[in-house]
Amino acid sequence: MVSTRQAPAITLAIVAALALAGASSALGDTLSVALDDVAVIGGSIREKSVSRVVLRASLPKQVLDARVDFAKLEFPAFLSDTSRTAVSIVAHNGQTAWERGEVSWTVPWKRPGGDFDSLSQAWFIALPGSKRPVVLDITETVRGWQQGKGSYGLFLKRPDDEGGGFREEGERLREALGKARVKFYFTHVQD
């Protein structure tokens, strides 16, 4: 319970926090872009047919030399009300250049299912019937792209303990990715 003596201090703290938030957003910019390419690759893991998604987004000129405060990949919820289970989505940084018309489970990868950095990851759990969009924090990936580290896009897959790829939910996921956006929150850096 807040005493009447604490109320002015709490109110002042809230006002100060709101002022700082307003000032920081006034200094920063946001930019939302569509994906450049999306490809679905299918193969077999432990004798089960699965698919993975490879996607690519350009780093806009406005963001190239800015300080990226936050970057996210966002797309609509894709599990139906009748889906039987939650689906974990993991995004990994790609490590090999690819072209949509020339990509498969084995091409152009060194290992079947794609070349990606298994240590870099963003994670989201989609729940059956949820209307909340899927949001993956790709801030560190975007910062790497700014520093010239390979911009080979992202792999979306299920974690290995969930089969390593998408199954029947893959088609709905592909449809949702048609509305995907990468949103950059950034601040211009003064020289």
Side-chain angles (χ1 to χ4, degrees):
M1 174 155 260
V2 177
S3 72
T4 54
R5 288 184 178 177
Q6 292 174 318
I10 291 172
T11 302
L12 182 59
I14 291 171
V15 169
L18 290 173
L20 283 173
S24 66
S25 67
L27 298 174
D29 284 314
T30 60
L31 183 63
S32 177
V33 300
L35 298 176
D36 293 336
D37 270 322
V38 176
V40 177
I41 59 174
S44 180
I45 298 177
R46 291 181 223 106
E47 300 178 17
K48 294 192 182 206
S49 292
V50 296
S51 62
R52 292 178 175 167
V53 178
V54 191
L55 54 91
R56 186 173 32 232
S58 296
L59 191 59
K61 187 170 51 172
Q62 301 94 309
V63 177
L64 198 55
D65 294 321
R67 184 186 76 225
V68 173
D69 301 309
F70 183 67
K72 66 181 177 178
L73 169 63
E74 184 172 345
F75 51 91
F78 65 95
L79 292 180
S80 70
D81 294 337
T82 60
S83 294
R84 292 174 279 165
T85 184
V87 172
S88 299
I89 301 167
V90 183
H92 294 284
N93 296 339
Q95 294 183 313
T96 301
W98 59 277
E99 294 299 324
R100 184 174 13 147
E102 302 169 8
V103 65
S104 71
W105 191 256
T106 57
V107 174
W109 322 119
K110 293 177 184 118
R111 63 179 184 208
D115 300 335
F116 53 86
D117 179 357
S118 60
L119 298 178
S120 67
Q121 58 185 346
W123 196 294
F124 187 88
I125 298 176
L127 301 174
S130 173
K131 303 303 179 219
R132 289 186 46 195
V134 173
V135 178
L136 294 158
D137 178 352
I138 60 170
T139 307
E140 292 306 315
T141 296
V142 169
R143 288 176 181 160
W145 294 346
Q146 285 180 302
Q147 296 167 3
K149 295 179 183 168
S151 177
Y152 304 122
L154 296 167
F155 275 83
L156 300 184
K157 64 187 258 318
R158 290 182 76 168
D160 292 339
D161 64 347
E162 290 183 23
F166 301 104
R167 293 184 290 271
E168 62 274 355
E169 68 277 355
E171 185 59 36
R172 290 179 62 97
L173 173 60
R174 182 184 342 199
E175 290 172 19
L177 285 168
K179 298 176 184 163
R181 305 293 290 181
V182 176
K183 194 162 191 180
F184 303 94
Y185 298 83
F186 61 99
T187 306
H188 295 283
V189 179
Q190 302 295 326
D191 292 330

